Amino acid sequence: MATIDINEKVLSKNDLDAKRLRDFFAKEKIYTINVMSSPGSGKTSLLEKVLPIIAKKYNVAVIEGDLETDNDKDRIERAGIKALQIQTGGACHLEALEIEKKFSIFNDSKIDLLIIENVGNLVCPSEYDLGQDENFVLLSTTEGEDKPLKYPTMIYACDTFIVNKVDLLPYLDFDVELLIDNAKKIKNNIRTFKISCKSGEGVENLVDYIISKIEGKKIT
Amino acid sequence: MHEVGIAQSILDIAIDNANKNGAKKINLISVNIGKMSAVDFPALDFAFNALKEGTIASESKLECNEIELKCECFSCGAVSALEGYFSICPKCESREVRIISGDELNIAYIDVE
């Protein structure tokens, strides 16, 4: 009987796939954002609002993830942005290998910004690295202020926290500052934005931020 | 949620190390899993036991050690264990903290023969 010390990080196959993707995105200087939220928080609406502005100056592509339908891909294309759809069938999250395969279809390494709109789910997507530069987590004013406390692993994975549907605040008993405070209890250094895809409030700030990150990656 | 992939990876690393050291049989695999890694231990154990069949680890046991969430406070300097998921110093309630343990996923050692 003998003991062999290993002390090695356990990397799942997805971690290895994601590392390859991350290296590729770094080499090609493609800024990549993984967008996550519950179903219905407004991920696709956010992209429809924000991406056409960014696409005036930059080459933007979207990979959509849902169990079924091409609906979200179609919406993004109608907004004038190139998009591809992954239909997972039953999987509740996207994985790096399918992103890698889908991206190769674009066959366009001059892309400046890749958005991955993940499957609507506040649990599993945060656990699968997709080689992204940052994670956007969206939460809307029609959800509970305590959601960050109920789904801490998603907030822990979050870099940029976006509160959507602020145009509805006059009709709701919703405390935005409490929501943000709850998110910061889990992760203090998250960046925050308050927006409305309907009224356009806050969209310009978010666009400016994303552009600064696209430019930032080009000089790395 | 990704317990099957993790179990496979644990097995692969354990078997690789056993083979490199000339071992014929693995009896125990010890892993350190941080609380924030969101790994479900029963699911991991179930997946591990299903995957180990037909390998030199077929009779091995998976030992999962949960590593607690700990933070270092930039305000008061204290190093403390965190009860829940709040990144708040239990001593002075500052939020200027750095998580120093709790999201690892490591294979520590294996017992072989």
PDB file of all heavy atoms in Angstrom, chain A residues 158-195:
ATOM      1  N   CYS A 158     -20.384  36.334 -11.657  1.00  0.00           N
ATOM      2  CA  CYS A 158     -20.760  37.545 -12.405  1.00  0.00           C
ATOM      3  C   CYS A 158     -19.647  38.591 -12.378  1.00  0.00           C
ATOM      4  O   CYS A 158     -19.026  38.821 -11.347  1.00  0.00           O
ATOM      5  CB  CYS A 158     -22.031  38.108 -11.780  1.00  0.00           C
ATOM      6  SG  CYS A 158     -22.510  39.745 -12.372  1.00  0.00           S
ATOM      7  N   ASP A 159     -19.411  39.226 -13.535  1.00  0.00           N
ATOM      8  CA  ASP A 159     -18.493  40.370 -13.571  1.00  0.00           C
ATOM      9  C   ASP A 159     -19.299  41.663 -13.682  1.00  0.00           C
ATOM     10  O   ASP A 159     -19.026  42.639 -13.001  1.00  0.00           O
ATOM     11  CB  ASP A 159     -17.552  40.246 -14.789  1.00  0.00           C
ATOM     12  CG  ASP A 159     -16.710  38.997 -14.710  1.00  0.00           C
ATOM     13  OD1 ASP A 159     -15.957  38.871 -13.711  1.00  0.00           O
ATOM     14  OD2 ASP A 159     -16.790  38.141 -15.610  1.00  0.00           O
ATOM     15  N   THR A 160     -20.302  41.648 -14.562  1.00  0.00           N
ATOM     16  CA  THR A 160     -21.137  42.821 -14.788  1.00  0.00           C
ATOM     17  C   THR A 160     -22.596  42.451 -14.537  1.00  0.00           C
ATOM     18  O   THR A 160     -23.114  41.524 -15.149  1.00  0.00           O
ATOM     19  CB  THR A 160     -20.951  43.344 -16.228  1.00  0.00           C
ATOM     20  OG1 THR A 160     -19.615  43.794 -16.378  1.00  0.00           O
ATOM     21  CG2 THR A 160     -21.909  44.485 -16.534  1.00  0.00           C
ATOM     22  N   PHE A 161     -23.213  43.195 -13.636  1.00  0.00           N
ATOM     23  CA  PHE A 161     -24.579  42.914 -13.194  1.00  0.00           C
ATOM     24  C   PHE A 161     -25.493  43.977 -13.775  1.00  0.00           C
ATOM     25  O   PHE A 161     -25.313  45.166 -13.537  1.00  0.00           O
ATOM     26  CB  PHE A 161     -24.606  42.933 -11.662  1.00  0.00           C
ATOM     27  CG  PHE A 161     -25.916  42.536 -11.051  1.00  0.00           C
ATOM     28  CD1 PHE A 161     -26.348  41.213 -11.105  1.00  0.00           C
ATOM     29  CD2 PHE A 161     -26.707  43.469 -10.392  1.00  0.00           C
ATOM     30  CE1 PHE A 161     -27.556  40.837 -10.523  1.00  0.00           C
ATOM     31  CE2 PHE A 161     -27.913  43.091  -9.808  1.00  0.00           C
ATOM     32  CZ  PHE A 161     -28.338  41.774  -9.872  1.00  0.00           C
ATOM     33  N   ILE A 162     -26.472  43.546 -14.579  1.00  0.00           N
ATOM     34  CA  ILE A 162     -27.329  44.506 -15.280  1.00  0.00           C
ATOM     35  C   ILE A 162     -28.766  44.376 -14.796  1.00  0.00           C
ATOM     36  O   ILE A 162     -29.356  43.289 -14.876  1.00  0.00           O
ATOM     37  CB  ILE A 162     -27.266  44.269 -16.808  1.00  0.00           C
ATOM     38  CG1 ILE A 162     -25.815  44.382 -17.305  1.00  0.00           C
ATOM     39  CG2 ILE A 162     -28.164  45.260 -17.549  1.00  0.00           C
ATOM     40  CD1 ILE A 162     -25.610  43.953 -18.743  1.00  0.00           C
ATOM     41  N   VAL A 163     -29.318  45.475 -14.300  1.00  0.00           N
ATOM     42  CA  VAL A 163     -30.716  45.487 -13.875  1.00  0.00           C
ATOM     43  C   VAL A 163     -31.544  46.002 -15.045  1.00  0.00           C
ATOM     44  O   VAL A 163     -31.337  47.135 -15.513  1.00  0.00           O
ATOM     45  CB  VAL A 163     -30.937  46.407 -12.653  1.00  0.00           C
ATOM     46  CG1 VAL A 163     -32.383  46.290 -12.175  1.00  0.00           C
ATOM     47  CG2 VAL A 163     -29.967  46.069 -11.541  1.00  0.00           C
ATOM     48  N   ASN A 164     -32.453  45.200 -15.543  1.00  0.00           N
ATOM     49  CA  ASN A 164     -33.240  45.552 -16.731  1.00  0.00           C
ATOM     50  C   ASN A 164     -34.682  45.906 -16.343  1.00  0.00           C
ATOM     51  O   ASN A 164     -35.145  45.613 -15.244  1.00  0.00           O
ATOM     52  CB  ASN A 164     -33.221  44.370 -17.715  1.00  0.00           C
ATOM     53  CG  ASN A 164     -33.807  44.717 -19.071  1.00  0.00           C
ATOM     54  OD1 ASN A 164     -33.827  45.882 -19.468  1.00  0.00           O
ATOM     55  ND2 ASN A 164     -34.304  43.714 -19.784  1.00  0.00           N
ATOM     56  N   LYS A 165     -35.374  46.543 -17.250  1.00  0.00           N
ATOM     57  CA  LYS A 165     -36.795  46.918 -17.133  1.00  0.00           C
ATOM     58  C   LYS A 165     -37.008  48.004 -16.076  1.00  0.00           C
ATOM     59  O   LYS A 165     -38.035  48.024 -15.394  1.00  0.00           O
ATOM     60  CB  LYS A 165     -37.680  45.691 -16.841  1.00  0.00           C
ATOM     61  CG  LYS A 165     -37.497  44.538 -17.845  1.00  0.00           C
ATOM     62  CD  LYS A 165     -38.476  43.399 -17.647  1.00  0.00           C
ATOM     63  CE  LYS A 165     -38.099  42.209 -18.523  1.00  0.00           C
ATOM     64  NZ  LYS A 165     -38.967  41.046 -18.350  1.00  0.00           N
ATOM     65  N   VAL A 166     -36.046  48.932 -15.960  1.00  0.00           N
ATOM     66  CA  VAL A 166     -36.205  50.000 -14.959  1.00  0.00           C
ATOM     67  C   VAL A 166     -37.342  50.956 -15.326  1.00  0.00           C
ATOM     68  O   VAL A 166     -37.813  51.712 -14.480  1.00  0.00           O
ATOM     69  CB  VAL A 166     -34.886  50.785 -14.706  1.00  0.00           C
ATOM     70  CG1 VAL A 166     -33.834  49.878 -14.094  1.00  0.00           C
ATOM     71  CG2 VAL A 166     -34.374  51.469 -15.956  1.00  0.00           C
ATOM     72  N   ASP A 167     -37.804  50.898 -16.577  1.00  0.00           N
ATOM     73  CA  ASP A 167     -38.951  51.738 -16.973  1.00  0.00           C
ATOM     74  C   ASP A 167     -40.222  51.321 -16.229  1.00  0.00           C
ATOM     75  O   ASP A 167     -41.169  52.115 -16.113  1.00  0.00           O
ATOM     76  CB  ASP A 167     -39.177  51.636 -18.481  1.00  0.00           C
ATOM     77  CG  ASP A 167     -39.445  50.213 -18.939  1.00  0.00           C
ATOM     78  OD1 ASP A 167     -38.526  49.377 -18.790  1.00  0.00           O
ATOM     79  OD2 ASP A 167     -40.552  49.930 -19.438  1.00  0.00           O
ATOM     80  N   LEU A 168     -40.261  50.091 -15.705  1.00  0.00           N
ATOM     81  CA  LEU A 168     -41.456  49.604 -15.010  1.00  0.00           C
ATOM     82  C   LEU A 168     -41.485  50.008 -13.533  1.00  0.00           C
ATOM     83  O   LEU A 168     -42.481  49.774 -12.841  1.00  0.00           O
ATOM     84  CB  LEU A 168     -41.524  48.069 -15.087  1.00  0.00           C
ATOM     85  CG  LEU A 168     -41.795  47.481 -16.473  1.00  0.00           C
ATOM     86  CD1 LEU A 168     -41.795  45.947 -16.382  1.00  0.00           C
ATOM     87  CD2 LEU A 168     -43.120  47.965 -17.035  1.00  0.00           C
ATOM     88  N   LEU A 169     -40.396  50.601 -13.033  1.00  0.00           N
ATOM     89  CA  LEU A 169     -40.314  50.906 -11.599  1.00  0.00           C
ATOM     90  C   LEU A 169     -41.512  51.680 -11.037  1.00  0.00           C
ATOM     91  O   LEU A 169     -41.965  51.374  -9.927  1.00  0.00           O
ATOM     92  CB  LEU A 169     -38.996  51.626 -11.271  1.00  0.00           C
ATOM     93  CG  LEU A 169     -37.769  50.716 -11.283  1.00  0.00           C
ATOM     94  CD1 LEU A 169     -36.481  51.525 -11.167  1.00  0.00           C
ATOM     95  CD2 LEU A 169     -37.834  49.690 -10.152  1.00  0.00           C
ATOM     96  N   PRO A 170     -42.068  52.668 -11.753  1.00  0.00           N
ATOM     97  CA  PRO A 170     -43.227  53.390 -11.195  1.00  0.00           C
ATOM     98  C   PRO A 170     -44.436  52.490 -10.918  1.00  0.00           C
ATOM     99  O   PRO A 170     -45.309  52.861 -10.139  1.00  0.00           O
ATOM    100  CB  PRO A 170     -43.578  54.404 -12.292  1.00  0.00           C
ATOM    101  CG  PRO A 170     -42.328  54.573 -13.074  1.00  0.00           C
ATOM    102  CD  PRO A 170     -41.631  53.257 -13.039  1.00  0.00           C
ATOM    103  N   TYR A 171     -44.469  51.304 -11.523  1.00  0.00           N
ATOM    104  CA  TYR A 171     -45.640  50.428 -11.369  1.00  0.00           C
ATOM    105  C   TYR A 171     -45.381  49.273 -10.415  1.00  0.00           C
ATOM    106  O   TYR A 171     -46.230  48.413 -10.221  1.00  0.00           O
ATOM    107  CB  TYR A 171     -46.057  49.872 -12.736  1.00  0.00           C
ATOM    108  CG  TYR A 171     -46.163  50.951 -13.780  1.00  0.00           C
ATOM    109  CD1 TYR A 171     -45.150  51.123 -14.735  1.00  0.00           C
ATOM    110  CD2 TYR A 171     -47.244  51.835 -13.781  1.00  0.00           C
ATOM    111  CE1 TYR A 171     -45.229  52.138 -15.669  1.00  0.00           C
ATOM    112  CE2 TYR A 171     -47.321  52.858 -14.717  1.00  0.00           C
ATOM    113  CZ  TYR A 171     -46.313  53.009 -15.646  1.00  0.00           C
ATOM    114  OH  TYR A 171     -46.376  54.011 -16.569  1.00  0.00           O
ATOM    115  N   LEU A 172     -44.166  49.220  -9.858  1.00  0.00           N
ATOM    116  CA  LEU A 172     -43.779  48.083  -9.037  1.00  0.00           C
ATOM    117  C   LEU A 172     -43.322  48.521  -7.655  1.00  0.00           C
ATOM    118  O   LEU A 172     -42.871  49.643  -7.464  1.00  0.00           O
ATOM    119  CB  LEU A 172     -42.596  47.339  -9.708  1.00  0.00           C
ATOM    120  CG  LEU A 172     -42.798  46.828 -11.125  1.00  0.00           C
ATOM    121  CD1 LEU A 172     -41.456  46.464 -11.744  1.00  0.00           C
ATOM    122  CD2 LEU A 172     -43.720  45.623 -11.120  1.00  0.00           C
ATOM    123  N   ASP A 173     -43.426  47.608  -6.690  1.00  0.00           N
ATOM    124  CA  ASP A 173     -42.827  47.847  -5.367  1.00  0.00           C
ATOM    125  C   ASP A 173     -41.470  47.180  -5.373  1.00  0.00           C
ATOM    126  O   ASP A 173     -41.261  46.183  -4.690  1.00  0.00           O
ATOM    127  CB  ASP A 173     -43.698  47.210  -4.265  1.00  0.00           C
ATOM    128  CG  ASP A 173     -45.035  47.908  -4.135  1.00  0.00           C
ATOM    129  OD1 ASP A 173     -45.081  49.138  -4.340  1.00  0.00           O
ATOM    130  OD2 ASP A 173     -46.034  47.211  -3.836  1.00  0.00           O
ATOM    131  N   PHE A 174     -40.565  47.685  -6.187  1.00  0.00           N
ATOM    132  CA  PHE A 174     -39.262  47.036  -6.339  1.00  0.00           C
ATOM    133  C   PHE A 174     -38.165  48.004  -5.920  1.00  0.00           C
ATOM    134  O   PHE A 174     -38.138  49.150  -6.341  1.00  0.00           O
ATOM    135  CB  PHE A 174     -39.054  46.598  -7.800  1.00  0.00           C
ATOM    136  CG  PHE A 174     -37.814  45.787  -8.014  1.00  0.00           C
ATOM    137  CD1 PHE A 174     -37.818  44.414  -7.797  1.00  0.00           C
ATOM    138  CD2 PHE A 174     -36.632  46.387  -8.413  1.00  0.00           C
ATOM    139  CE1 PHE A 174     -36.673  43.654  -7.992  1.00  0.00           C
ATOM    140  CE2 PHE A 174     -35.477  45.633  -8.607  1.00  0.00           C
ATOM    141  CZ  PHE A 174     -35.500  44.266  -8.398  1.00  0.00           C
ATOM    142  N   ASP A 175     -37.260  47.536  -5.081  1.00  0.00           N
ATOM    143  CA  ASP A 175     -36.176  48.361  -4.561  1.00  0.00           C
ATOM    144  C   ASP A 175     -34.875  47.987  -5.284  1.00  0.00           C
ATOM    145  O   ASP A 175     -34.223  46.998  -4.939  1.00  0.00           O
ATOM    146  CB  ASP A 175     -36.060  48.120  -3.045  1.00  0.00           C
ATOM    147  CG  ASP A 175     -35.053  49.018  -2.376  1.00  0.00           C
ATOM    148  OD1 ASP A 175     -34.206  49.611  -3.070  1.00  0.00           O
ATOM    149  OD2 ASP A 175     -35.093  49.114  -1.139  1.00  0.00           O
ATOM    150  N   VAL A 176     -34.511  48.808  -6.283  1.00  0.00           N
ATOM    151  CA  VAL A 176     -33.327  48.498  -7.100  1.00  0.00           C
ATOM    152  C   VAL A 176     -32.056  48.482  -6.253  1.00  0.00           C
ATOM    153  O   VAL A 176     -31.183  47.628  -6.425  1.00  0.00           O
ATOM    154  CB  VAL A 176     -33.150  49.525  -8.251  1.00  0.00           C
ATOM    155  CG1 VAL A 176     -31.906  49.203  -9.061  1.00  0.00           C
ATOM    156  CG2 VAL A 176     -34.362  49.534  -9.156  1.00  0.00           C
ATOM    157  N   GLU A 177     -31.949  49.439  -5.341  1.00  0.00           N
ATOM    158  CA  GLU A 177     -30.726  49.537  -4.529  1.00  0.00           C
ATOM    159  C   GLU A 177     -30.588  48.312  -3.629  1.00  0.00           C
ATOM    160  O   GLU A 177     -29.469  47.834  -3.382  1.00  0.00           O
ATOM    161  CB  GLU A 177     -30.710  50.830  -3.712  1.00  0.00           C
ATOM    162  CG  GLU A 177     -30.686  52.101  -4.565  1.00  0.00           C
ATOM    163  CD  GLU A 177     -29.667  52.070  -5.712  1.00  0.00           C
ATOM    164  OE1 GLU A 177     -28.512  51.610  -5.509  1.00  0.00           O
ATOM    165  OE2 GLU A 177     -30.028  52.468  -6.845  1.00  0.00           O
ATOM    166  N   LEU A 178     -31.707  47.791  -3.152  1.00  0.00           N
ATOM    167  CA  LEU A 178     -31.664  46.568  -2.334  1.00  0.00           C
ATOM    168  C   LEU A 178     -31.177  45.389  -3.172  1.00  0.00           C
ATOM    169  O   LEU A 178     -30.352  44.593  -2.734  1.00  0.00           O
ATOM    170  CB  LEU A 178     -33.048  46.271  -1.751  1.00  0.00           C
ATOM    171  CG  LEU A 178     -33.197  44.975  -0.945  1.00  0.00           C
ATOM    172  CD1 LEU A 178     -32.235  44.953   0.254  1.00  0.00           C
ATOM    173  CD2 LEU A 178     -34.630  44.792  -0.459  1.00  0.00           C
ATOM    174  N   LEU A 179     -31.675  45.307  -4.406  1.00  0.00           N
ATOM    175  CA  LEU A 179     -31.238  44.242  -5.310  1.00  0.00           C
ATOM    176  C   LEU A 179     -29.720  44.301  -5.498  1.00  0.00           C
ATOM    177  O   LEU A 179     -29.013  43.298  -5.370  1.00  0.00           O
ATOM    178  CB  LEU A 179     -31.925  44.382  -6.671  1.00  0.00           C
ATOM    179  CG  LEU A 179     -31.341  43.504  -7.793  1.00  0.00           C
ATOM    180  CD1 LEU A 179     -31.650  42.038  -7.524  1.00  0.00           C
ATOM    181  CD2 LEU A 179     -31.863  43.905  -9.157  1.00  0.00           C
ATOM    182  N   ILE A 180     -29.223  45.494  -5.803  1.00  0.00           N
ATOM    183  CA  ILE A 180     -27.784  45.655  -6.054  1.00  0.00           C
ATOM    184  C   ILE A 180     -26.990  45.376  -4.781  1.00  0.00           C
ATOM    185  O   ILE A 180     -25.939  44.720  -4.818  1.00  0.00           O
ATOM    186  CB  ILE A 180     -27.485  47.065  -6.620  1.00  0.00           C
ATOM    187  CG1 ILE A 180     -28.065  47.158  -8.034  1.00  0.00           C
ATOM    188  CG2 ILE A 180     -25.998  47.374  -6.607  1.00  0.00           C
ATOM    189  CD1 ILE A 180     -27.932  48.508  -8.693  1.00  0.00           C
ATOM    190  N   ASP A 181     -27.511  45.819  -3.655  1.00  0.00           N
ATOM    191  CA  ASP A 181     -26.834  45.556  -2.385  1.00  0.00           C
ATOM    192  C   ASP A 181     -26.759  44.056  -2.104  1.00  0.00           C
ATOM    193  O   ASP A 181     -25.728  43.539  -1.657  1.00  0.00           O
ATOM    194  CB  ASP A 181     -27.569  46.271  -1.251  1.00  0.00           C
ATOM    195  CG  ASP A 181     -26.754  46.250   0.026  1.00  0.00           C
ATOM    196  OD1 ASP A 181     -25.642  46.803   0.031  1.00  0.00           O
ATOM    197  OD2 ASP A 181     -27.220  45.654   1.031  1.00  0.00           O
ATOM    198  N   ASN A 182     -27.826  43.345  -2.397  1.00  0.00           N
ATOM    199  CA  ASN A 182     -27.830  41.887  -2.207  1.00  0.00           C
ATOM    200  C   ASN A 182     -26.795  41.217  -3.112  1.00  0.00           C
ATOM    201  O   ASN A 182     -26.101  40.294  -2.685  1.00  0.00           O
ATOM    202  CB  ASN A 182     -29.215  41.311  -2.472  1.00  0.00           C
ATOM    203  CG  ASN A 182     -30.157  41.520  -1.296  1.00  0.00           C
ATOM    204  OD1 ASN A 182     -29.717  41.694  -0.162  1.00  0.00           O
ATOM    205  ND2 ASN A 182     -31.455  41.512  -1.558  1.00  0.00           N
ATOM    206  N   ALA A 183     -26.705  41.699  -4.341  1.00  0.00           N
ATOM    207  CA  ALA A 183     -25.710  41.122  -5.260  1.00  0.00           C
ATOM    208  C   ALA A 183     -24.304  41.400  -4.738  1.00  0.00           C
ATOM    209  O   ALA A 183     -23.426  40.533  -4.767  1.00  0.00           O
ATOM    210  CB  ALA A 183     -25.888  41.692  -6.657  1.00  0.00           C
ATOM    211  N   LYS A 184     -24.094  42.603  -4.207  1.00  0.00           N
ATOM    212  CA  LYS A 184     -22.761  42.964  -3.701  1.00  0.00           C
ATOM    213  C   LYS A 184     -22.415  42.263  -2.399  1.00  0.00           C
ATOM    214  O   LYS A 184     -21.244  42.139  -2.060  1.00  0.00           O
ATOM    215  CB  LYS A 184     -22.658  44.486  -3.546  1.00  0.00           C
ATOM    216  CG  LYS A 184     -22.572  45.178  -4.909  1.00  0.00           C
ATOM    217  CD  LYS A 184     -22.177  46.621  -4.813  1.00  0.00           C
ATOM    218  CE  LYS A 184     -21.832  47.130  -6.205  1.00  0.00           C
ATOM    219  NZ  LYS A 184     -21.372  48.507  -6.221  1.00  0.00           N
ATOM    220  N   LYS A 185     -23.417  41.762  -1.701  1.00  0.00           N
ATOM    221  CA  LYS A 185     -23.137  40.958  -0.499  1.00  0.00           C
ATOM    222  C   LYS A 185     -22.416  39.675  -0.912  1.00  0.00           C
ATOM    223  O   LYS A 185     -21.593  39.153  -0.179  1.00  0.00           O
ATOM    224  CB  LYS A 185     -24.433  40.567   0.214  1.00  0.00           C
ATOM    225  CG  LYS A 185     -24.992  41.602   1.148  1.00  0.00           C
ATOM    226  CD  LYS A 185     -26.092  40.983   1.997  1.00  0.00           C
ATOM    227  CE  LYS A 185     -26.658  42.003   2.965  1.00  0.00           C
ATOM    228  NZ  LYS A 185     -28.086  42.225   2.792  1.00  0.00           N
ATOM    229  N   ILE A 186     -22.764  39.166  -2.088  1.00  0.00           N
ATOM    230  CA  ILE A 186     -22.146  37.937  -2.580  1.00  0.00           C
ATOM    231  C   ILE A 186     -20.805  38.248  -3.238  1.00  0.00           C
ATOM    232  O   ILE A 186     -19.817  37.544  -3.043  1.00  0.00           O
ATOM    233  CB  ILE A 186     -23.067  37.204  -3.594  1.00  0.00           C
ATOM    234  CG1 ILE A 186     -24.467  36.983  -3.022  1.00  0.00           C
ATOM    235  CG2 ILE A 186     -22.437  35.901  -4.057  1.00  0.00           C
ATOM    236  CD1 ILE A 186     -24.530  36.114  -1.788  1.00  0.00           C
ATOM    237  N   LYS A 187     -20.795  39.327  -4.046  1.00  0.00           N
ATOM    238  CA  LYS A 187     -19.551  39.698  -4.729  1.00  0.00           C
ATOM    239  C   LYS A 187     -19.488  41.219  -4.798  1.00  0.00           C
ATOM    240  O   LYS A 187     -20.187  41.851  -5.576  1.00  0.00           O
ATOM    241  CB  LYS A 187     -19.516  39.105  -6.133  1.00  0.00           C
ATOM    242  CG  LYS A 187     -18.152  39.176  -6.786  1.00  0.00           C
ATOM    243  CD  LYS A 187     -18.139  38.372  -8.065  1.00  0.00           C
ATOM    244  CE  LYS A 187     -16.778  38.418  -8.721  1.00  0.00           C
ATOM    245  NZ  LYS A 187     -16.785  37.765 -10.038  1.00  0.00           N
ATOM    246  N   ASN A 188     -18.615  41.795  -3.980  1.00  0.00           N
ATOM    247  CA  ASN A 188     -18.598  43.231  -3.793  1.00  0.00           C
ATOM    248  C   ASN A 188     -18.151  44.021  -5.017  1.00  0.00           C
ATOM    249  O   ASN A 188     -18.591  45.139  -5.239  1.00  0.00           O
ATOM    250  CB  ASN A 188     -17.682  43.565  -2.613  1.00  0.00           C
ATOM    251  CG  ASN A 188     -17.856  44.978  -2.142  1.00  0.00           C
ATOM    252  OD1 ASN A 188     -18.957  45.518  -2.163  1.00  0.00           O
ATOM    253  ND2 ASN A 188     -16.769  45.600  -1.746  1.00  0.00           N
ATOM    254  N   ASN A 189     -17.246  43.431  -5.828  1.00  0.00           N
ATOM    255  CA  ASN A 189     -16.653  44.240  -6.888  1.00  0.00           C
ATOM    256  C   ASN A 189     -17.333  44.090  -8.254  1.00  0.00           C
ATOM    257  O   ASN A 189     -16.737  44.390  -9.272  1.00  0.00           O
ATOM    258  CB  ASN A 189     -15.162  43.918  -7.010  1.00  0.00           C
ATOM    259  CG  ASN A 189     -14.932  42.472  -7.452  1.00  0.00           C
ATOM    260  OD1 ASN A 189     -15.860  41.674  -7.487  1.00  0.00           O
ATOM    261  ND2 ASN A 189     -13.703  42.143  -7.798  1.00  0.00           N
ATOM    262  N   ILE A 190     -18.598  43.658  -8.277  1.00  0.00           N
ATOM    263  CA  ILE A 190     -19.302  43.595  -9.559  1.00  0.00           C
ATOM    264  C   ILE A 190     -19.558  45.007 -10.076  1.00  0.00           C
ATOM    265  O   ILE A 190     -19.808  45.928  -9.313  1.00  0.00           O
ATOM    266  CB  ILE A 190     -20.659  42.847  -9.467  1.00  0.00           C
ATOM    267  CG1 ILE A 190     -21.497  43.385  -8.300  1.00  0.00           C
ATOM    268  CG2 ILE A 190     -20.450  41.350  -9.370  1.00  0.00           C
ATOM    269  CD1 ILE A 190     -22.909  42.829  -8.253  1.00  0.00           C
ATOM    270  N   ARG A 191     -19.484  45.139 -11.383  1.00  0.00           N
ATOM    271  CA  ARG A 191     -19.820  46.369 -12.069  1.00  0.00           C
ATOM    272  C   ARG A 191     -21.339  46.355 -12.245  1.00  0.00           C
ATOM    273  O   ARG A 191     -21.889  45.288 -12.488  1.00  0.00           O
ATOM    274  CB  ARG A 191     -19.146  46.293 -13.436  1.00  0.00           C
ATOM    275  CG  ARG A 191     -19.043  47.562 -14.217  1.00  0.00           C
ATOM    276  CD  ARG A 191     -18.146  47.305 -15.428  1.00  0.00           C
ATOM    277  NE  ARG A 191     -16.798  46.989 -15.019  1.00  0.00           N
ATOM    278  CZ  ARG A 191     -16.258  45.780 -15.081  1.00  0.00           C
ATOM    279  NH1 ARG A 191     -16.949  44.751 -15.540  1.00  0.00           N
ATOM    280  NH2 ARG A 191     -15.032  45.589 -14.682  1.00  0.00           N
ATOM    281  N   THR A 192     -22.035  47.496 -12.108  1.00  0.00           N
ATOM    282  CA  THR A 192     -23.498  47.458 -12.236  1.00  0.00           C
ATOM    283  C   THR A 192     -24.005  48.475 -13.250  1.00  0.00           C
ATOM    284  O   THR A 192     -23.438  49.561 -13.408  1.00  0.00           O
ATOM    285  CB  THR A 192     -24.187  47.724 -10.882  1.00  0.00           C
ATOM    286  OG1 THR A 192     -23.804  49.019 -10.422  1.00  0.00           O
ATOM    287  CG2 THR A 192     -23.791  46.694  -9.839  1.00  0.00           C
ATOM    288  N   PHE A 193     -25.071  48.114 -13.935  1.00  0.00           N
ATOM    289  CA  PHE A 193     -25.762  49.008 -14.857  1.00  0.00           C
ATOM    290  C   PHE A 193     -27.262  48.862 -14.633  1.00  0.00           C
ATOM    291  O   PHE A 193     -27.750  47.769 -14.360  1.00  0.00           O
ATOM    292  CB  PHE A 193     -25.460  48.640 -16.323  1.00  0.00           C
ATOM    293  CG  PHE A 193     -24.038  48.890 -16.735  1.00  0.00           C
ATOM    294  CD1 PHE A 193     -23.078  47.893 -16.615  1.00  0.00           C
ATOM    295  CD2 PHE A 193     -23.660  50.125 -17.246  1.00  0.00           C
ATOM    296  CE1 PHE A 193     -21.756  48.131 -16.986  1.00  0.00           C
ATOM    297  CE2 PHE A 193     -22.345  50.363 -17.629  1.00  0.00           C
ATOM    298  CZ  PHE A 193     -21.388  49.363 -17.493  1.00  0.00           C
ATOM    299  N   LYS A 194     -27.988  49.994 -14.783  1.00  0.00           N
ATOM    300  CA  LYS A 194     -29.455  49.948 -14.715  1.00  0.00           C
ATOM    301  C   LYS A 194     -29.955  50.363 -16.086  1.00  0.00           C
ATOM    302  O   LYS A 194     -29.582  51.440 -16.577  1.00  0.00           O
ATOM    303  CB  LYS A 194     -29.968  50.934 -13.669  1.00  0.00           C
ATOM    304  CG  LYS A 194     -29.509  50.644 -12.256  1.00  0.00           C
ATOM    305  CD  LYS A 194     -29.925  51.763 -11.332  1.00  0.00           C
ATOM    306  CE  LYS A 194     -29.053  51.809 -10.094  1.00  0.00           C
ATOM    307  NZ  LYS A 194     -29.267  53.020  -9.298  1.00  0.00           N
ATOM    308  N   ILE A 195     -30.750  49.544 -16.717  1.00  0.00           N
ATOM    309  CA  ILE A 195     -31.172  49.880 -18.076  1.00  0.00           C
ATOM    310  C   ILE A 195     -32.645  49.567 -18.317  1.00  0.00           C
ATOM    311  O   ILE A 195     -33.277  48.839 -17.551  1.00  0.00           O
ATOM    312  CB  ILE A 195     -30.349  49.114 -19.135  1.00  0.00           C
ATOM    313  CG1 ILE A 195     -30.639  47.609 -19.073  1.00  0.00           C
ATOM    314  CG2 ILE A 195     -28.856  49.368 -19.008  1.00  0.00           C
ATOM    315  CD1 ILE A 195     -30.120  46.853 -20.273  1.00  0.00           C
TER     316      ILE A 195
END
